[in-house]
Amino acid sequence: MFSTTLSSGASLRPLEPWRAEEFAAHLDRAREHIRPWVGPSFVTVDVAGARATLGLYAERAARDGAGIYGIWAEGVLVGGVMFVEFSPATGVFEIGCWLEPDGEGHGHITSAVRELLAYAFDERGMHRAEWRCRSDNHRSSAVARRLGMTLEGVLREAWPVGDVFYDKQVWSLLASEWRVASAAQVRDHHDRHEHAG
Ligand SMILES: CC(C)(COP(=O)(O)OP(=O)(O)OC[C@H]1O[C@@H](n2cnc3c(N)ncnc32)[C@H](O)[C@@H]1OP(=O)(O)O)[C@@H](O)C(=O)NCCC(=O)NCCS
């Protein structure tokens, strides 16, 4: 139900509070892998913590239409994408993501983030997407680059982990750039089918 098939073959669905047990089991597989790179409140340790995270996103989804979405590969929840911020008043939103180790390297995130960009820009008329990551998070910045985002700058020592302060990159994509990129993608798709046909 309410599922989108990603170009990677995985499924993208809303990650709702009733899935807390499944989300907690997934976090058991993902926790140490994601801990250095995501906000500490996301790295919960039990079902109650997992339910609290999903509850928070459900409240925000009811308020402004943002949300958190899981990625299932062959029936297993392997990660997801979310609107970390979503402000219809300013047109600005921020996308975040995570995967357990087995979920990496298949293109799930790049494809899932495209779905969120399409929803935010095309359906909601949003104006500016942001992507924030630790400057040494090369896999994360590779996703932003792959999606055609621009690296706007580095917030120096803005990402504390324990007693170390890491630099934080800010990437963005504007609605006008999204329209150009998605038109090019449609052309590409069309050309490939013409040649195959
Ligand atoms: C950041 C993170 C989600 C990126 O995962 P990822 O697997 O690199 O990203 P994608 O799912 O888009 O997959 C891209 C990879 O799949 C490969 N791939 C295969 N098929 C692909 C396709 N159809 N499209 C795009 N990429 C594809 C790419 O080549 C790339 O692999 P490579 O970097 O080894 O070349 C993951 O590393 C992670 O969870 N890290 C820890 C948590 C984290 O950092 N979260 C983000 C906080 S800002």
Side-chain angles (χ1 to χ4, degrees), residues 103-159:
E104 280 188 333
H106 305 284
H108 297 323
I109 293 295
T110 302
S111 174
V113 173
R114 273 207 188 97
E115 296 291 332
L116 264 52
L117 292 169
Y119 163 75
F121 285 131
D122 300 341
E123 282 185 49
R124 301 295 303 279
M126 298 290 277
H127 186 70
R128 171 186 159 89
E130 293 187 352
W131 182 272
R132 292 163 185 260
C133 61
R134 253 174 70 170
S135 292
D136 57 344
N137 191 346
H138 304 300
R139 290 197 84 99
S140 181
S141 50
V143 174
R145 194 173 297 111
R146 211 178 282 126
L147 289 165
M149 294 189 175
T150 297
L151 176 59
E152 291 188 328
V154 173
L155 309 183
R156 296 178 307 146
E157 301 195 359
W159 193 302

Short mmCIF file of all heavy atoms in Angstrom, two decimals, residues 103-159:
data_model
loop_
_atom_site.label_atom_id
_atom_site.label_comp_id
_atom_site.label_asym_id
_atom_site.label_seq_id
_atom_site.Cartn_x
_atom_site.Cartn_y
_atom_site.Cartn_z
N GLY A 103 22.57 -1.99 2.82
CA GLY A 103 21.78 -1.17 1.89
C GLY A 103 22.61 -0.24 1.04
O GLY A 103 22.11 0.35 0.07
N GLU A 104 23.89 -0.10 1.39
CA GLU A 104 24.74 0.84 0.64
C GLU A 104 25.14 0.29 -0.72
O GLU A 104 25.24 -0.92 -0.91
CB GLU A 104 26.03 1.13 1.44
CG GLU A 104 25.84 2.14 2.54
CD GLU A 104 27.16 2.57 3.18
OE1 GLU A 104 28.12 1.77 3.16
OE2 GLU A 104 27.22 3.67 3.70
N GLY A 105 25.37 1.23 -1.64
CA GLY A 105 25.98 0.85 -2.92
C GLY A 105 25.00 0.40 -3.99
O GLY A 105 25.40 -0.13 -5.02
N HIS A 106 23.69 0.60 -3.76
CA HIS A 106 22.68 0.15 -4.75
C HIS A 106 21.95 1.31 -5.41
O HIS A 106 21.06 1.09 -6.23
CB HIS A 106 21.65 -0.76 -4.07
CG HIS A 106 22.26 -1.94 -3.38
ND1 HIS A 106 22.73 -3.04 -4.06
CD2 HIS A 106 22.52 -2.17 -2.07
CE1 HIS A 106 23.22 -3.91 -3.19
NE2 HIS A 106 23.11 -3.40 -1.97
N GLY A 107 22.22 2.53 -4.97
CA GLY A 107 21.51 3.68 -5.53
C GLY A 107 20.16 3.94 -4.89
O GLY A 107 19.38 4.77 -5.37
N HIS A 108 19.85 3.25 -3.77
CA HIS A 108 18.53 3.45 -3.13
C HIS A 108 18.32 4.91 -2.73
O HIS A 108 17.24 5.48 -2.94
CB HIS A 108 18.41 2.61 -1.85
CG HIS A 108 18.49 1.13 -2.05
ND1 HIS A 108 17.94 0.49 -3.14
CD2 HIS A 108 19.02 0.15 -1.27
CE1 HIS A 108 18.15 -0.81 -3.02
NE2 HIS A 108 18.81 -1.04 -1.90
N ILE A 109 19.34 5.51 -2.13
CA ILE A 109 19.16 6.86 -1.56
C ILE A 109 19.03 7.89 -2.67
O ILE A 109 18.12 8.74 -2.64
CB ILE A 109 20.33 7.19 -0.60
CG1 ILE A 109 20.26 6.30 0.64
CG2 ILE A 109 20.31 8.68 -0.23
CD1 ILE A 109 19.06 6.50 1.53
N THR A 110 19.89 7.82 -3.65
CA THR A 110 19.81 8.79 -4.75
C THR A 110 18.41 8.77 -5.36
O THR A 110 17.79 9.81 -5.58
CB THR A 110 20.87 8.47 -5.82
OG1 THR A 110 22.15 8.50 -5.17
CG2 THR A 110 20.86 9.46 -6.96
N SER A 111 17.89 7.57 -5.57
CA SER A 111 16.56 7.44 -6.18
C SER A 111 15.46 7.91 -5.22
O SER A 111 14.51 8.60 -5.64
CB SER A 111 16.38 5.96 -6.57
OG SER A 111 15.10 5.73 -7.03
N ALA A 112 15.59 7.58 -3.93
CA ALA A 112 14.56 7.99 -2.95
C ALA A 112 14.55 9.50 -2.76
O ALA A 112 13.49 10.12 -2.65
CB ALA A 112 14.81 7.29 -1.62
N VAL A 113 15.72 10.11 -2.75
CA VAL A 113 15.78 11.57 -2.57
C VAL A 113 15.13 12.25 -3.77
O VAL A 113 14.43 13.26 -3.63
CB VAL A 113 17.23 12.07 -2.35
CG1 VAL A 113 17.29 13.59 -2.35
CG2 VAL A 113 17.78 11.51 -1.04
N ARG A 114 15.32 11.68 -4.96
CA ARG A 114 14.65 12.24 -6.16
C ARG A 114 13.13 12.27 -5.97
O ARG A 114 12.46 13.22 -6.36
CB ARG A 114 14.98 11.42 -7.40
CG ARG A 114 16.24 11.87 -8.06
CD ARG A 114 16.29 11.58 -9.57
NE ARG A 114 17.64 11.91 -9.99
CZ ARG A 114 18.61 11.03 -10.14
NH1 ARG A 114 18.37 9.74 -9.98
NH2 ARG A 114 19.82 11.42 -10.47
N GLU A 115 12.59 11.21 -5.35
CA GLU A 115 11.14 11.18 -5.11
C GLU A 115 10.73 12.32 -4.18
O GLU A 115 9.70 12.96 -4.38
CB GLU A 115 10.72 9.84 -4.47
CG GLU A 115 10.94 8.63 -5.36
CD GLU A 115 10.00 8.60 -6.57
OE1 GLU A 115 8.88 9.15 -6.47
OE2 GLU A 115 10.39 8.04 -7.61
N LEU A 116 11.53 12.56 -3.14
CA LEU A 116 11.20 13.64 -2.20
C LEU A 116 11.33 15.01 -2.87
O LEU A 116 10.51 15.91 -2.64
CB LEU A 116 12.11 13.57 -0.96
CG LEU A 116 11.51 12.83 0.26
CD1 LEU A 116 11.02 11.46 -0.10
CD2 LEU A 116 12.51 12.78 1.41
N LEU A 117 12.34 15.15 -3.71
CA LEU A 117 12.51 16.42 -4.42
C LEU A 117 11.32 16.66 -5.35
O LEU A 117 10.79 17.78 -5.42
CB LEU A 117 13.82 16.41 -5.23
CG LEU A 117 15.11 16.41 -4.40
CD1 LEU A 117 16.32 16.13 -5.30
CD2 LEU A 117 15.31 17.74 -3.66
N ALA A 118 10.88 15.61 -6.04
CA ALA A 118 9.74 15.75 -6.95
C ALA A 118 8.49 16.15 -6.18
O ALA A 118 7.74 17.04 -6.59
CB ALA A 118 9.50 14.44 -7.71
N TYR A 119 8.27 15.50 -5.03
CA TYR A 119 7.11 15.84 -4.21
C TYR A 119 7.18 17.30 -3.75
O TYR A 119 6.22 18.06 -3.90
CB TYR A 119 7.04 14.89 -3.00
CG TYR A 119 6.15 15.38 -1.89
CD1 TYR A 119 4.75 15.32 -2.01
CD2 TYR A 119 6.69 15.92 -0.72
CE1 TYR A 119 3.93 15.79 -1.00
CE2 TYR A 119 5.87 16.39 0.29
CZ TYR A 119 4.49 16.32 0.16
OH TYR A 119 3.69 16.80 1.16
N ALA A 120 8.33 17.69 -3.21
CA ALA A 120 8.45 19.03 -2.61
C ALA A 120 8.36 20.12 -3.68
O ALA A 120 7.64 21.11 -3.52
CB ALA A 120 9.76 19.14 -1.83
N PHE A 121 9.10 19.93 -4.78
CA PHE A 121 9.12 20.98 -5.81
C PHE A 121 7.85 20.95 -6.67
O PHE A 121 7.23 21.99 -6.91
CB PHE A 121 10.34 20.81 -6.71
CG PHE A 121 11.65 21.24 -6.07
CD1 PHE A 121 12.76 20.41 -6.11
CD2 PHE A 121 11.77 22.48 -5.46
CE1 PHE A 121 13.96 20.81 -5.54
CE2 PHE A 121 12.97 22.88 -4.89
CZ PHE A 121 14.07 22.05 -4.92
N ASP A 122 7.49 19.75 -7.16
CA ASP A 122 6.41 19.67 -8.15
C ASP A 122 5.02 19.74 -7.52
O ASP A 122 4.13 20.39 -8.04
CB ASP A 122 6.52 18.38 -8.99
CG ASP A 122 7.86 18.30 -9.73
OD1 ASP A 122 8.50 19.35 -9.88
OD2 ASP A 122 8.24 17.19 -10.14
N GLU A 123 4.84 19.01 -6.39
CA GLU A 123 3.50 18.98 -5.80
C GLU A 123 3.27 20.11 -4.81
O GLU A 123 2.18 20.65 -4.72
CB GLU A 123 3.27 17.65 -5.07
CG GLU A 123 2.96 16.52 -6.01
CD GLU A 123 2.63 15.25 -5.25
OE1 GLU A 123 1.81 15.28 -4.32
OE2 GLU A 123 3.24 14.22 -5.60
N ARG A 124 4.33 20.45 -4.04
CA ARG A 124 4.13 21.43 -2.96
C ARG A 124 4.61 22.83 -3.34
O ARG A 124 4.45 23.77 -2.56
CB ARG A 124 4.86 20.95 -1.69
CG ARG A 124 4.40 19.59 -1.16
CD ARG A 124 2.94 19.60 -0.68
NE ARG A 124 2.68 20.60 0.34
CZ ARG A 124 2.96 20.46 1.65
NH1 ARG A 124 3.45 19.32 2.09
NH2 ARG A 124 2.72 21.42 2.51
N GLY A 125 5.25 22.95 -4.49
CA GLY A 125 5.70 24.27 -4.93
C GLY A 125 6.79 24.86 -4.05
O GLY A 125 6.90 26.09 -3.93
N MET A 126 7.61 23.98 -3.44
CA MET A 126 8.70 24.48 -2.59
C MET A 126 9.80 25.10 -3.46
O MET A 126 9.85 24.87 -4.68
CB MET A 126 9.24 23.34 -1.72
CG MET A 126 8.20 22.76 -0.77
SD MET A 126 7.73 23.88 0.58
CE MET A 126 9.06 23.57 1.73
N HIS A 127 10.70 25.84 -2.83
CA HIS A 127 11.65 26.64 -3.61
C HIS A 127 13.11 26.19 -3.50
O HIS A 127 13.88 26.33 -4.44
CB HIS A 127 11.56 28.10 -3.17
CG HIS A 127 12.40 29.01 -4.00
ND1 HIS A 127 12.09 29.30 -5.32
CD2 HIS A 127 13.58 29.63 -3.74
CE1 HIS A 127 13.02 30.08 -5.82
NE2 HIS A 127 13.94 30.29 -4.90
N ARG A 128 13.51 25.69 -2.32
CA ARG A 128 14.94 25.46 -2.11
C ARG A 128 15.14 24.22 -1.22
O ARG A 128 14.59 24.15 -0.11
CB ARG A 128 15.53 26.69 -1.42
CG ARG A 128 16.95 26.55 -0.92
CD ARG A 128 17.35 27.80 -0.12
NE ARG A 128 18.47 27.49 0.75
CZ ARG A 128 19.74 27.59 0.40
NH1 ARG A 128 20.07 28.05 -0.79
NH2 ARG A 128 20.70 27.24 1.24
N ALA A 129 15.92 23.25 -1.77
CA ALA A 129 16.26 22.05 -1.00
C ALA A 129 17.65 22.22 -0.40
O ALA A 129 18.55 22.73 -1.07
CB ALA A 129 16.28 20.83 -1.93
N GLU A 130 17.79 21.80 0.85
CA GLU A 130 19.12 21.83 1.49
C GLU A 130 19.53 20.42 1.88
O GLU A 130 18.69 19.56 2.16
CB GLU A 130 19.09 22.72 2.73
CG GLU A 130 18.86 24.18 2.39
CD GLU A 130 18.99 25.10 3.61
OE1 GLU A 130 19.10 24.61 4.75
OE2 GLU A 130 18.95 26.33 3.38
N TRP A 131 20.85 20.25 1.92
CA TRP A 131 21.45 18.96 2.31
C TRP A 131 22.64 19.32 3.18
O TRP A 131 23.50 20.09 2.75
CB TRP A 131 21.90 18.25 1.04
CG TRP A 131 22.50 16.89 1.20
CD1 TRP A 131 23.81 16.59 1.43
CD2 TRP A 131 21.81 15.64 1.09
NE1 TRP A 131 23.99 15.23 1.47
CE2 TRP A 131 22.76 14.63 1.27
CE3 TRP A 131 20.48 15.29 0.86
CZ2 TRP A 131 22.44 13.27 1.22
CZ3 TRP A 131 20.15 13.95 0.81
CH2 TRP A 131 21.11 12.95 0.99
N ARG A 132 22.68 18.85 4.40
CA ARG A 132 23.77 19.18 5.31
C ARG A 132 24.45 17.91 5.76
O ARG A 132 23.77 16.96 6.16
CB ARG A 132 23.23 19.93 6.54
CG ARG A 132 22.71 21.31 6.18
CD ARG A 132 21.82 21.90 7.26
NE ARG A 132 21.27 23.16 6.78
CZ ARG A 132 21.75 24.35 7.13
NH1 ARG A 132 22.73 24.44 8.00
NH2 ARG A 132 21.23 25.45 6.62
N CYS A 133 25.77 17.89 5.68
CA CYS A 133 26.49 16.69 6.12
C CYS A 133 27.86 17.06 6.68
O CYS A 133 28.36 18.16 6.42
CB CYS A 133 26.64 15.69 4.97
SG CYS A 133 27.58 16.30 3.55
N ARG A 134 28.42 16.15 7.46
CA ARG A 134 29.79 16.34 7.92
C ARG A 134 30.70 16.44 6.70
O ARG A 134 30.52 15.70 5.74
CB ARG A 134 30.21 15.15 8.79
CG ARG A 134 30.30 15.46 10.26
CD ARG A 134 30.56 14.23 11.07
NE ARG A 134 31.91 13.68 10.87
CZ ARG A 134 32.43 12.72 11.62
NH1 ARG A 134 31.72 12.19 12.62
NH2 ARG A 134 33.64 12.28 11.40
N SER A 135 31.66 17.34 6.74
CA SER A 135 32.51 17.55 5.55
C SER A 135 33.29 16.30 5.17
O SER A 135 33.66 16.13 4.01
CB SER A 135 33.48 18.70 5.80
OG SER A 135 32.76 19.90 5.89
N ASP A 136 33.54 15.41 6.14
CA ASP A 136 34.28 14.19 5.81
C ASP A 136 33.33 13.01 5.52
O ASP A 136 33.78 11.86 5.47
CB ASP A 136 35.27 13.84 6.93
CG ASP A 136 34.59 13.68 8.28
OD1 ASP A 136 33.42 14.12 8.43
OD2 ASP A 136 35.21 13.10 9.19
N ASN A 137 32.03 13.29 5.34
CA ASN A 137 31.07 12.24 4.99
C ASN A 137 31.00 12.13 3.47
O ASN A 137 30.09 12.64 2.82
CB ASN A 137 29.69 12.55 5.59
CG ASN A 137 28.73 11.37 5.51
OD1 ASN A 137 28.99 10.41 4.79
ND2 ASN A 137 27.64 11.46 6.23
N HIS A 138 31.98 11.42 2.90
CA HIS A 138 32.13 11.43 1.45
C HIS A 138 30.96 10.76 0.72
O HIS A 138 30.58 11.18 -0.36
CB HIS A 138 33.47 10.81 1.05
CG HIS A 138 34.62 11.51 1.71
ND1 HIS A 138 34.88 12.85 1.51
CD2 HIS A 138 35.55 11.08 2.60
CE1 HIS A 138 35.93 13.21 2.25
NE2 HIS A 138 36.35 12.15 2.92
N ARG A 139 30.38 9.73 1.33
CA ARG A 139 29.24 9.06 0.66
C ARG A 139 28.04 9.99 0.62
O ARG A 139 27.29 10.00 -0.35
CB ARG A 139 28.89 7.75 1.38
CG ARG A 139 29.92 6.67 1.23
CD ARG A 139 29.35 5.31 1.57
NE ARG A 139 28.66 4.71 0.45
CZ ARG A 139 29.18 3.79 -0.35
NH1 ARG A 139 30.39 3.34 -0.14
NH2 ARG A 139 28.48 3.32 -1.36
N SER A 140 27.86 10.77 1.69
CA SER A 140 26.73 11.69 1.72
C SER A 140 26.93 12.83 0.72
O SER A 140 26.00 13.17 -0.04
CB SER A 140 26.56 12.24 3.14
OG SER A 140 25.46 13.11 3.19
N SER A 141 28.12 13.41 0.70
CA SER A 141 28.32 14.51 -0.26
C SER A 141 28.26 13.98 -1.70
O SER A 141 27.83 14.71 -2.61
CB SER A 141 29.62 15.28 0.01
OG SER A 141 30.69 14.42 0.14
N ALA A 142 28.61 12.70 -1.89
CA ALA A 142 28.50 12.13 -3.25
C ALA A 142 27.05 12.08 -3.70
O ALA A 142 26.73 12.29 -4.87
CB ALA A 142 29.11 10.73 -3.29
N VAL A 143 26.12 11.82 -2.75
CA VAL A 143 24.70 11.81 -3.11
C VAL A 143 24.27 13.21 -3.55
O VAL A 143 23.63 13.39 -4.59
CB VAL A 143 23.82 11.35 -1.91
CG1 VAL A 143 22.33 11.48 -2.25
CG2 VAL A 143 24.15 9.90 -1.53
N ALA A 144 24.66 14.23 -2.76
CA ALA A 144 24.28 15.61 -3.10
C ALA A 144 24.82 15.99 -4.49
O ALA A 144 24.10 16.57 -5.31
CB ALA A 144 24.83 16.56 -2.03
N ARG A 145 26.07 15.61 -4.73
CA ARG A 145 26.71 15.95 -6.03
C ARG A 145 25.97 15.23 -7.16
O ARG A 145 25.66 15.81 -8.20
CB ARG A 145 28.18 15.54 -5.98
CG ARG A 145 29.02 16.13 -7.10
CD ARG A 145 30.51 15.86 -6.93
NE ARG A 145 31.07 16.46 -5.75
CZ ARG A 145 31.51 15.81 -4.67
NH1 ARG A 145 31.44 14.49 -4.63
NH2 ARG A 145 32.01 16.44 -3.64
N ARG A 146 25.67 13.93 -6.94
CA ARG A 146 24.99 13.12 -7.96
C ARG A 146 23.62 13.73 -8.31
O ARG A 146 23.15 13.61 -9.44
CB ARG A 146 24.80 11.71 -7.39
CG ARG A 146 24.82 10.60 -8.40
CD ARG A 146 24.68 9.24 -7.71
NE ARG A 146 25.91 8.77 -7.11
CZ ARG A 146 26.04 8.39 -5.83
NH1 ARG A 146 25.03 8.44 -4.99
NH2 ARG A 146 27.20 7.98 -5.37
N LEU A 147 22.99 14.39 -7.34
CA LEU A 147 21.67 14.98 -7.57
C LEU A 147 21.76 16.38 -8.15
O LEU A 147 20.75 17.05 -8.34
CB LEU A 147 20.88 15.01 -6.25
CG LEU A 147 20.44 13.63 -5.76
CD1 LEU A 147 20.00 13.70 -4.30
CD2 LEU A 147 19.31 13.10 -6.63
N GLY A 148 22.98 16.84 -8.42
CA GLY A 148 23.14 18.15 -9.05
C GLY A 148 23.09 19.31 -8.07
O GLY A 148 22.88 20.46 -8.48
N MET A 149 23.27 19.02 -6.77
CA MET A 149 23.26 20.10 -5.79
C MET A 149 24.57 20.88 -5.85
O MET A 149 25.59 20.39 -6.35
CB MET A 149 23.06 19.54 -4.38
CG MET A 149 21.70 18.91 -4.18
SD MET A 149 21.42 18.49 -2.45
CE MET A 149 19.72 17.92 -2.53
N THR A 150 24.51 22.12 -5.34
CA THR A 150 25.69 22.99 -5.29
C THR A 150 26.20 23.08 -3.86
O THR A 150 25.40 23.29 -2.94
CB THR A 150 25.30 24.40 -5.78
OG1 THR A 150 24.89 24.31 -7.14
CG2 THR A 150 26.47 25.37 -5.67
N LEU A 151 27.50 22.92 -3.69
CA LEU A 151 28.10 23.10 -2.37
C LEU A 151 28.21 24.59 -2.12
O LEU A 151 28.94 25.30 -2.80
CB LEU A 151 29.47 22.43 -2.31
CG LEU A 151 30.26 22.62 -1.01
CD1 LEU A 151 29.50 22.09 0.20
CD2 LEU A 151 31.63 21.95 -1.11
N GLU A 152 27.44 25.08 -1.15
CA GLU A 152 27.40 26.53 -0.90
C GLU A 152 28.46 27.00 0.07
O GLU A 152 28.86 28.16 0.06
CB GLU A 152 26.03 26.91 -0.32
CG GLU A 152 24.93 26.76 -1.33
CD GLU A 152 23.63 27.31 -0.80
OE1 GLU A 152 23.39 27.25 0.41
OE2 GLU A 152 22.85 27.80 -1.62
N GLY A 153 28.84 26.10 0.96
CA GLY A 153 29.84 26.54 1.94
C GLY A 153 30.04 25.53 3.04
O GLY A 153 29.39 24.46 3.05
N VAL A 154 30.94 25.87 3.92
CA VAL A 154 31.28 25.00 5.04
C VAL A 154 31.10 25.79 6.34
O VAL A 154 31.61 26.89 6.48
CB VAL A 154 32.75 24.52 4.92
CG1 VAL A 154 33.17 23.75 6.16
CG2 VAL A 154 32.92 23.66 3.67
N LEU A 155 30.28 25.22 7.24
CA LEU A 155 30.12 25.82 8.57
C LEU A 155 31.22 25.20 9.44
O LEU A 155 31.21 23.99 9.71
CB LEU A 155 28.73 25.52 9.14
CG LEU A 155 27.54 25.84 8.23
CD1 LEU A 155 26.23 25.56 8.96
CD2 LEU A 155 27.59 27.31 7.79
N ARG A 156 32.15 26.03 9.85
CA ARG A 156 33.33 25.49 10.52
C ARG A 156 33.00 24.96 11.92
O ARG A 156 32.35 25.64 12.71
CB ARG A 156 34.40 26.57 10.60
CG ARG A 156 34.90 26.99 9.21
CD ARG A 156 35.92 28.09 9.28
NE ARG A 156 35.43 29.21 10.05
CZ ARG A 156 36.20 29.99 10.83
NH1 ARG A 156 37.49 29.78 10.90
NH2 ARG A 156 35.67 30.98 11.49
N GLU A 157 33.44 23.74 12.17
CA GLU A 157 33.32 23.10 13.49
C GLU A 157 31.89 23.21 14.05
O GLU A 157 31.69 23.50 15.22
CB GLU A 157 34.36 23.69 14.46
CG GLU A 157 35.77 23.49 13.91
CD GLU A 157 36.86 23.70 14.95
OE1 GLU A 157 36.54 24.02 16.10
OE2 GLU A 157 38.04 23.52 14.58
N ALA A 158 30.91 22.95 13.16
CA ALA A 158 29.50 23.09 13.56
C ALA A 158 28.84 21.75 13.87
O ALA A 158 27.64 21.68 14.08
CB ALA A 158 28.72 23.80 12.45
N TRP A 159 29.63 20.65 13.85
CA TRP A 159 29.04 19.31 14.01
C TRP A 159 29.78 18.58 15.13
O TRP A 159 30.78 17.91 14.88
CB TRP A 159 29.16 18.54 12.69
CG TRP A 159 28.34 17.30 12.63
CD1 TRP A 159 28.40 16.22 13.47
CD2 TRP A 159 27.33 16.99 11.67
NE1 TRP A 159 27.50 15.27 13.10
CE2 TRP A 159 26.83 15.72 11.99
CE3 TRP A 159 26.81 17.67 10.56
CZ2 TRP A 159 25.82 15.10 11.25
CZ3 TRP A 159 25.82 17.05 9.83
CH2 TRP A 159 25.32 15.77 10.16
#
